[in-house]
């Protein structure tokens, strides 16, 4: 352990490399637990063994770090932006099957987050320049058989054996048995997992009996051509398996279907115990025999997990038994039923509670989707599951992965896909689309509308009408948008879908703003926020609450607007929602500027601008820059203001984005004032200079103490 600690002092990327079962994960966890207090933001563990898709690494890390920006945190850029000022240790466990992707992730993350250190485990090095490789070998076991018990306890292999033996029996190391323990540790080649499995047998056997049985088993292997390390490990797992009762063997094999961590409820549903011990008793027995690990989660929740080599063994045994296909169906059906239950209550206050059984299921959900949609078999079941996971993917920062699976479901569609399934797949994909992708949204919406037909379900119809209304509004077609939003409202009322009604109210408020009807807009935004709070979707209430602040500001009530924006910002920050936080910080800068408080306006927009750029929201960044143009002008920094204005105008033209009416009026007045102060010719020159600036030069210009040109 000291070598790894020293290596982390020397390098920001340390890889513990060694063959399976040697103890890489155990060592990494011990090091992380010991060093966590020395990192201001702690140590975090990410197990990669449950996925074969390297594109989801950033999302898995975001989930482990408990980031709460549902729309952006699965991107590496957003992840590094969110954590670039943090000081932490990140453990990436089981990297060997994703070496290239892990190497790329580690290099990028370390480059962008200078106070992060990464401890990786892999059967092979990641092979990047920043890496310091710590080769992990089996425990060295002294040849001296005359060691005293006190001296032997300083040997790591003996320490591990004694600790594990004490967990299952009243074993104590003494001068009489130390030679036998040393010999036993040698016989399993010092392999950590082998030592654990052997020590677990002391619950039923004496040390003498254990050594005798080990001799017999390895004697058979030796006659077959030697006991290589991997043969040793397999032999030890074989032995542990052979010592299980018939019922325990079947239960153990069935648990091999789980790709990652699982709960007692999942084990009960997927791997029912046969006659004999209950599922809980079966889990307890496998934990006692070191074949299963118990994990303590937040709020004292418990999950279970098989080590990778043991999981592979169990699954191989399950396949050989002929039960694999039946257990695959039970496994798939369980997670589909949980997802369906969550989907059924997504419009009510219990939606978060319904998602809890999926809290630690990412590896298993991914495994099911890979074995269905990814393998072009049982595609309907895979599409059913994917269509019900939009809320899950949002909550766990896996939106990019969710989009990929839903697009895969679209590609798999054939005559076996029912019309309602076609609709639900498209609705789920509409939930996860990147902001601004209106043309894709329109295509999906119209396809879903055709599949739904005129007599479709009101709940699905209401959700679809909302998305079509929002899409047409984004495309500037206000009349068609209004028709669809009115239809969504009727359908939402027919089926008491509070979530759809809340979203419709917010969009209707937006269209009222564009039509100049601010009092109606304020009423609609307030209603939307109230509905979302009622169904425990506080984090989504941030948007209508922030919109209400904008309307209040437009009505000239700046103090009230500030209070509303701060209320919404507090919710966004509680949920680590950097996308909406950037928007609200920018708005606060605008509101304070209207009160003549340049310093507060400057402070809020300084925070907002890099945050908006970090989550990829250029529109919000440009709105924030408009405010900073006005700040610079109010301070008499006219040339800097003109250059910055030129940058904003250039980007808006390039993106074909118009300003909101109130913003357009304000910035037109600023442009007129600049021409008066600088002269038309000089103003045009400075605007052109600003339009040619890179984003990096723009940041230097606007975040410098003054607004001089770089």
């Amino acid at each position: 352990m000291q070598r790894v600690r020293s290596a982390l002092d020397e390098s920001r990327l340390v890889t513990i490399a060694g063959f399976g079962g040697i103890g890489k994960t155990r060592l990494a966890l011990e090091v992380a637990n010991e060093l966590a207090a020395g990192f201001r933001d702690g140590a975090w563990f990410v197990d990669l063994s449950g996925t074969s898709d390297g594109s989801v690494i950033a999302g898995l890390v975001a989930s482990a770090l408990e980031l709460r920006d549902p729309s952006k945190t699965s991107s590496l850029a957003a992840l590094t932006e969110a954590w670039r000022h943090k000081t932490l240790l990140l453990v990436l466990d089981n990297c060997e099957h994703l070496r290239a992707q892990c190497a790329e992730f580690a290099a990028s993350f370390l480059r962008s987050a200078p106070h992060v250190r990464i401890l990786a485990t892999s059967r092979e090095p990641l092979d990047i320049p920043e890496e310091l490789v710590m080769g992990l070998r089996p425990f060295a076991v002294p040849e001296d058989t005359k060691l005293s018990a006190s001296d032997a306890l300083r040997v790591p292999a003996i320490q591990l054996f004694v600790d594990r033996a004490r967990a299952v029996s009243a074993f104590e190391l003494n001068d009489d048995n130390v030679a036998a323990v040393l010999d036993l540790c040698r016989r399993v080649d010092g392999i950590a997992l082998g030592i654990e499995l052997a020590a677990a047998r002391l619950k039923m056997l004496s040390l003498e009996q254990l050594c005798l049985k080990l001799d017999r088993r390895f004697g058979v292997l030796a006659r077959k051509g030697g006991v290589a390390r991997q043969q040793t490990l397999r032999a030890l797992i074989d032995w542990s398996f052979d010592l299980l009762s018939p019922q325990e063997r079947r239960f153990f094999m069935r648990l091999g279907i789980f790709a990652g961590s699982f709960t007692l409820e999942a084990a009960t549903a997927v791997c029912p115990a046969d006659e004999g011990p209950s599922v809980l008793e079966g889990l307890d027995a496998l934990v006692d025999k070191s074949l299963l690990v118990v994990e303590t989660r937040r709020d004292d929740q418990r999950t279970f997990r098989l080590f990778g080599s043991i999981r592979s063994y169990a699954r191989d045994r399950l396949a050989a038994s002929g039960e694999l296909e039946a257990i695959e169906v039970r496994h798939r059906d369980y997670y589909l039923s949980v997802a369906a239950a969550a989907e059924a209550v997504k419009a009510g206050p219990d939606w978060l509670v319904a998602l809890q059984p999926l809290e630690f299921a990412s590896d298993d959900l991914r495994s099911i989707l890979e074995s269905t949609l990814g393998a072009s078999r049982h595609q309907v079941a895979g599409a059913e599951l994917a269509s019900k996971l939009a809320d899950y993917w949002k909550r766990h920062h896996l939106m990019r992965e969710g989009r990929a699976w839903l697009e895969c479901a679209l590609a798999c569609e054939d005559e076996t896909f029912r019309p309602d399934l076609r609709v639900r797949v498209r609705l789920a994909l509409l939930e996860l689309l990147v902001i601004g992708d209106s043309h894709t949204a329109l295509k999906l919406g119209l396809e879903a509308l055709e599949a739904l037909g005129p007599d479709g379900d009101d709940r699905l119809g209401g959700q679809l009408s909302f998305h079509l209304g929002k899409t047409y509004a984004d495309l500037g077609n206000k009349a068609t948008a209004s028709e669809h939003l009115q239809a969504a409202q009727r359908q939402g009322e027919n089926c008491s879908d509070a979530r759809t009604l809340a979203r419709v109210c917010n969009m209707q408020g937006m269209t009222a703003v564009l039509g100049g009807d601010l009092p109606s807009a304020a009423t609609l935004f307030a209603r939307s926020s109230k509905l979302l709070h009622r169904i425990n979707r506080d984090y989504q209430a941030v948007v209508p609450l922030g919109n209400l602040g904008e309307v209040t500001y437009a009505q000239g009530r700046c103090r009230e607007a500030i209070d509303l924006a701060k209320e919404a910002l507090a919710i966004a920050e509680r949920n680590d929602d950097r996308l909406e936080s950037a928007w609200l910080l920018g708005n606060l800068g605008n509101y304070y500027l209207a009160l003549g408080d340049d310093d507060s306006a400057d402070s809020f927009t300084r925070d907002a601008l890099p945050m908006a750029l970090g989550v990829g929201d250029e529109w919000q960044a440009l709105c924030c820059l408009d405010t900073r143009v006005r700040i610079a002008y109010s301070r008499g920094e006219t040339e800097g203001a003109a250059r910055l204005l030129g940058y904003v105008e250039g980007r808006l033209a390039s993106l074909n984005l118009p300003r909101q009416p109130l913003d357009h009026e304000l910035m037109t007045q600023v442009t007129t004032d600049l021409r008066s102060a600088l002269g038309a010719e000089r103003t045009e020159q400075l605007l052109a200079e600003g339009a040619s600036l890179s984003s990096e030069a723009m940041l230097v210009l606007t975040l410098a103490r003054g607004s001089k040109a770089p």
Side-chain angles (χ1 to χ4, degrees):
M1 190 185 299
Q2 182 57 48
R3 289 174 59 223
V4 180
R5 289 199 302 264
S6 299
L8 283 166
D9 288 336
E10 182 180 342
S11 173
R12 294 177 56 222
L13 172 61
V14 175
T15 299
I16 303 173
F19 61 82
I22 200 171
K24 302 184 294 294
T25 299
R26 182 184 294 100
L27 176 59
L29 285 170
E30 288 176 357
V31 171
N33 287 333
E34 182 167 316
L35 297 184
F39 289 86
R40 186 184 65 218
D41 299 296
W44 303 82
F45 180 83
V46 182
D47 181 9
L48 300 176
S49 65
T51 181
S52 59
D53 183 0
S55 69
V56 305
I57 293 173
L60 294 176
V61 173
S63 182
L65 297 181
E66 299 175 6
L67 294 178
R68 292 294 179 195
D69 178 353
S71 62
K72 293 288 182 181
T73 47
S74 63
S75 75
L76 180 55
L79 182 64
T80 52
E81 166 60 25
W83 286 76
R84 64 193 176 95
H85 298 305
K86 302 288 188 179
T87 301
L88 62 94
L89 174 64
L90 177 64
V91 179
L92 295 178
D93 192 37
N94 295 301
C95 298
E96 54 272 352
H97 59 304
L98 299 170
R99 283 177 61 219
Q101 297 93 329
C102 286
E104 181 181 355
F105 171 84
S108 298
F109 198 28
L110 292 175
R111 188 164 52 248
S112 303
H115 306 297
V116 168
R117 292 179 185 269
I118 294 177
L119 178 60
T121 74
S122 177
R123 299 190 184 194
E124 300 177 72
L126 301 186
D127 286 337
I128 56 176
E130 300 91 337
E131 181 183 32
L132 196 160
V133 179
M134 299 295 299
L136 186 61
R137 296 181 294 275
F139 288 122
V141 183
E143 293 294 333
D144 185 1
T145 57
K146 301 188 184 300
L147 283 179
S148 66
S150 58
D151 288 337
L153 280 172
R154 289 193 282 270
V155 177
I158 305 302
Q159 289 175 356
L160 177 62
F161 181 89
V162 172
D163 288 345
R164 191 64 194 92
R166 285 174 176 169
V168 298
S169 70
F171 179 82
E172 290 296 334
L173 189 72
N174 55 51
D175 290 343
D176 293 330
N177 62 21
V178 66
V181 173
L182 282 165
D183 182 60
L184 187 148
C185 290
R186 276 192 224 98
R187 296 302 308 274
V188 298
D189 291 327
I191 299 171
L193 181 57
I195 292 171
E196 278 210 73
L197 291 174
R201 301 276 67 78
L202 290 182
K203 184 173 184 178
M204 303 296 295
L205 303 172
S206 69
L207 181 60
E208 182 180 356
Q209 290 171 318
L210 174 62
C211 291
L212 181 61
K213 288 184 176 290
L214 204 61
D215 281 342
R216 289 174 180 167
R217 182 163 295 272
F218 287 152
V220 171
L221 279 177
R223 288 194 296 275
K224 291 182 177 179
V227 189
R229 282 176 177 156
Q230 290 299 333
Q231 285 180 296
T232 300
L233 189 58
R234 177 79 183 195
L236 287 164
I237 303 175
D238 274 335
W239 184 26
S240 296
F241 180 80
D242 290 345
L243 291 173
L244 299 176
S245 70
Q247 294 91 346
E248 288 172 338
R249 289 179 195 172
R250 283 193 293 274
F251 183 56
F252 168 69
M253 291 189 299
R254 291 167 180 172
L255 291 178
I257 200 68
F258 289 105
S261 300
F262 57 90
T263 62
L264 170 62
E265 292 75 18
T268 301
V270 178
C271 309
D274 295 329
E275 68 284 353
S278 67
V279 169
L280 182 58
E281 290 170 327
L283 292 171
D284 186 55
L286 295 177
V287 170
D288 280 348
K289 296 172 174 64
S290 291
L291 291 170
L292 191 65
V293 179
V294 183
E295 303 166 309
T296 302
R297 304 287 193 162
R298 292 188 302 273
D299 302 325
D300 207 33
Q301 296 178 77
R302 297 289 197 276
T303 57
F304 302 88
R305 182 167 60 91
L306 295 166
F307 281 124
S309 53
I310 293 178
R311 183 189 304 126
S312 297
Y313 179 94
R315 192 178 179 91
D316 288 346
R317 284 278 190 172
L318 183 63
S321 75
E323 258 201 318
L324 177 59
E325 186 172 348
I327 298 300
E328 275 185 335
V329 171
R330 295 185 68 98
H331 181 247
R332 184 168 66 238
D333 287 352
Y334 169 72
Y335 285 107
L336 184 56
S337 69
V338 172
E343 177 76 3
V345 299
K346 72 178 182 182
D350 297 327
W351 70 281
L352 266 178
V353 174
L355 279 176
Q356 284 180 356
L358 299 178
E359 181 75 12
F360 309 110
S362 60
D363 291 333
D364 284 278
L365 295 173
R366 195 173 295 117
S367 171
I368 294 167
L369 293 170
E370 286 173 352
S371 67
T372 54
L373 297 176
S376 297
R377 53 191 290 268
H378 307 298
Q379 295 100 314
V380 169
E384 286 280 4
L385 179 61
S387 73
K388 294 173 170 59
L389 291 177
D391 265 344
Y392 167 82
W393 279 318
K394 284 184 177 181
R395 290 291 295 173
H396 290 269
H397 332 293
L398 300 170
M399 293 179 68
R400 182 181 300 173
E401 180 183 356
R403 287 195 298 271
W405 283 121
L406 289 162
E407 287 164 359
C408 188
L410 289 180
C412 289
E413 276 188 353
D414 58 24
E415 67 281 356
T416 64
F417 279 58
R418 302 182 312 279
D420 70 296
L421 178 56
R422 294 170 186 262
V423 174
R424 286 187 283 106
V425 168
R426 285 163 176 79
L427 283 173
L429 189 50
L430 283 165
E431 291 289 338
L432 304 182
L433 277 187
V434 175
I435 294 172
D437 194 358
S438 301
H439 294 290
T440 300
L442 182 59
K443 178 178 181 292
L444 289 169
L446 293 176
E447 289 174 355
L449 188 63
E450 181 181 358
L452 185 66
D455 302 318
D457 175 75
D458 269 344
R459 189 173 296 277
L460 291 179
Q463 295 169 35
L464 178 54
S465 295
F466 161 73
H467 280 292
L468 283 168
K470 178 180 182 300
T471 301
Y472 278 116
D474 291 342
L475 292 170
N477 189 335
K478 289 187 285 186
T480 307
S482 179
E483 290 176 13
H484 283 290
L485 291 173
Q486 288 172 10
Q489 184 174 358
R490 288 194 305 272
Q491 292 163 313
E493 288 170 348
N494 288 344
C495 60
S496 302
D497 187 342
R499 179 172 178 249
T500 293
L501 291 172
R503 301 170 96 184
V504 168
C505 281
N506 184 64
M507 279 307 304
Q508 289 176 329
M510 298 290 287
T511 57
V513 168
L514 294 174
D517 187 356
L518 297 186
S520 293
T523 300
L524 288 162
F525 289 142
R527 187 184 304 161
S528 175
S529 177
K530 185 176 180 179
L531 283 169
L532 288 167
H533 280 300
R534 189 182 299 165
I535 59 173
N536 289 335
R537 288 186 178 265
D538 290 7
Y539 81 96
Q540 290 180 334
V542 165
V543 174
L545 196 58
N547 287 338
L548 180 58
E550 290 186 347
V551 169
T552 305
Y553 163 71
Q555 292 174 319
R557 305 198 308 274
C558 288
R559 293 288 181 189
E560 289 180 50
I562 286 171
D563 289 342
L564 287 165
K566 286 185 174 179
E567 181 184 349
L569 180 63
I571 298 171
E573 289 181 337
R574 276 202 305 273
N575 289 281
D576 206 8
D577 186 343
R578 300 177 70 81
L579 184 72
E580 307 305 351
S581 293
W583 167 52
L584 293 162
L585 287 167
N587 282 359
L588 282 165
N590 200 24
Y591 304 160
Y592 275 107
L593 183 60
L595 292 175
D597 186 347
D598 290 2
D599 289 342
S600 293
D602 177 74
S603 176
F604 279 112
T605 52
R606 278 178 182 273
D607 289 341
L609 181 58
M611 190 179 294
L613 292 172
V615 296
D617 189 351
E618 189 172 6
W619 165 252
Q620 181 53 44
L622 294 172
C623 292
C624 185
L625 287 170
D626 269 349
T627 304
R628 293 195 64 78
V629 169
R630 293 165 53 217
I631 294 170
Y633 178 77
S634 72
R635 290 175 170 176
E637 300 162 357
T638 51
E639 293 206 348
R643 286 193 183 90
L644 195 56
L645 179 60
Y647 175 85
V648 176
E649 298 280 5
R651 290 304 300 153
L652 287 172
S654 174
L655 297 168
N656 194 28
L657 290 173
R659 288 188 175 94
Q660 298 293 337
L662 181 59
D663 294 332
H664 177 75
E665 183 181 331
L666 284 169
M667 299 314 294
T668 298
Q669 184 60 52
V670 169
T671 304
T672 301
D673 293 342
L674 286 169
R675 292 182 192 281
S676 297
L678 296 168
E681 184 177 346
R682 179 59 176 157
T683 301
E684 290 302 321
Q685 179 186 354
L686 293 168
L687 289 171
E689 288 178 11
S692 67
L693 289 174
S694 66
S695 59
E696 292 80 9
M698 173 275 294
L699 283 171
V700 171
L701 172 65
T702 189
L703 297 181
R705 186 170 294 277
S707 291
K708 305 286 186 185

